[in-house]
Amino acid sequence: MKIWKSLLIVLMIFVNLAFAQPSFADRPKFSKNPDYIEVTKALKELSQTKDAQTQVEGLTPEEIQKRTEELTLQKYALETGINWGQCENQTGNTIAVYGKRPNDEDEEEDAVYDNNLYFLANGQSTKNNWDCDGIYLANDVKVANFTSNPNGQGQELTGPIALKILDGTQLVIKTNPDTGAIDLNVPTVKVLNSKTANWFIPDISQALINTRVPNAPSNQS
């Protein structure tokens, strides 16, 4: 009888380990996420800059603090498992955004690009829990004071290019009434082109985008 009890206890231990192991294996995934690695590195660089009281060319202490705060929240979002970003359009025009393909798993083998290009109407934001990967910048649209590096100096950026945002970010896109350029509320956004990402990045104008029917899953802003 004692032998059977011992065997039963051993069997229960193995069953518990079999069910518990996948949950343990899932925990460190965020640390291998390229976005998480990039954010962590950027935060470290900014922290070293502040600790050494080094003046970064073109950046005020206030701007460095703002970027540090933004990256801290992005890091937290990735650590807590938020796997979607949101884009809000306040430009006065229709904009093009990138997002997941419908029926992603069923069409993965036939897909040409990693995501789809959708159109978001003015005054709308992409739907909650729908991952907006970023926005498309038309060939005649400019972004003022743009930075892709947390320690980088702001510069003017002109399309056609794609701008990628991190998960957990709400990107608000506005048109500057004085210059007509695009303003972004996020301090740093990654620039992509056809050589660095498998995204559809056409060479088209904003006027053409304005003729498209909005089809991005959206909330009314």
Side-chain angles (χ1 to χ4, degrees), residues 143-162:
V143 177
N145 198 30
F146 174 84
T147 52
S148 60
N149 186 315
N151 288 338
Q153 187 175 354
Q155 59 184 338
E156 187 177 83
L157 185 70
T158 304
I161 51 173

Side-chain angles (χ1 to χ4, degrees), residues 57-211:
E57 184 180 357
L59 291 181
T60 65
E62 291 76 17
E63 288 172 327
I64 293 176
Q65 180 62 29
K66 180 180 179 181
R67 295 184 186 188
T68 300
E69 293 173 354
E70 176 66 28
L71 289 169
T72 299
L73 289 181
Q74 289 179 345
K75 181 174 180 286
Y76 173 75
L78 293 167
E79 289 173 340
T80 53
I82 297 177
N83 59 359
W84 58 280
Q86 189 171 54
C87 298
E88 182 176 338
N89 179 13
Q90 297 182 15
T91 64
N93 296 301
T94 298
I95 65 171
V97 300
Y98 294 94
K100 62 183 180 181
R101 299 183 301 269
N103 303 320
D104 196 29
E105 294 182 359
D106 297 336
E107 299 182 4
E108 186 173 357
E109 294 182 358
D110 299 329
V112 178
Y113 299 102
D114 292 340
N115 51 27
N116 275 5
L117 194 63
Y118 298 87
F119 300 97
L120 184 67
N122 178 55
Q124 292 187 342
S125 63
T126 53
K127 193 173 182 178
N128 293 349
N129 296 309
W130 184 83
D131 187 16
C132 180
D133 293 326
I135 63 171
Y136 167 77
L137 194 66
N139 59 21
D140 54 353
V141 173
K142 296 180 180 179
V143 177
N145 198 30
F146 174 84
T147 52
S148 60
N149 186 315
N151 288 338
Q153 187 175 354
Q155 59 184 338
E156 187 177 83
L157 185 70
T158 304
I161 51 173
L163 302 179
K164 180 182 182 297
I165 64 172
L166 300 179
D167 290 342
T169 299
Q170 184 185 47
L171 178 67
V172 180
I173 309 101
K174 297 182 179 181
T175 299
N176 188 305
D178 298 324
T179 65
I182 296 297
D183 288 333
L184 306 176
N185 68 314
V186 178
T188 56
V189 182
K190 182 181 291 185
V191 178
L192 301 179
N193 55 46
S194 57
K195 295 181 180 179
T196 58
N198 187 29
W199 292 21
F200 178 55
I201 309 176
D203 188 2
I204 59 177
S205 68
Q206 178 60 47
L208 183 60
I209 293 176
N210 287 339
T211 67

Side-chain angles (χ1 to χ4, degrees), residues 25-51:
D26 288 340
R27 290 182 182 178
K29 282 185 177 179
F30 72 84
S31 63
K32 298 180 181 179
N33 184 324
D35 287 345
Y36 183 80
I37 294 171
E38 184 175 339
V39 168
T40 303
K41 179 181 177 182
L43 269 173
K44 184 178 179 180
E45 292 176 355
L46 286 177
S47 177
Q48 291 173 344
T49 298
K50 291 176 63 177
D51 292 343

Side-chain angles (χ1 to χ4, degrees), residues 17-28:
L17 287 174
F19 282 100
Q21 190 170 357
S23 62
F24 292 147
D26 288 340
R27 290 182 182 178

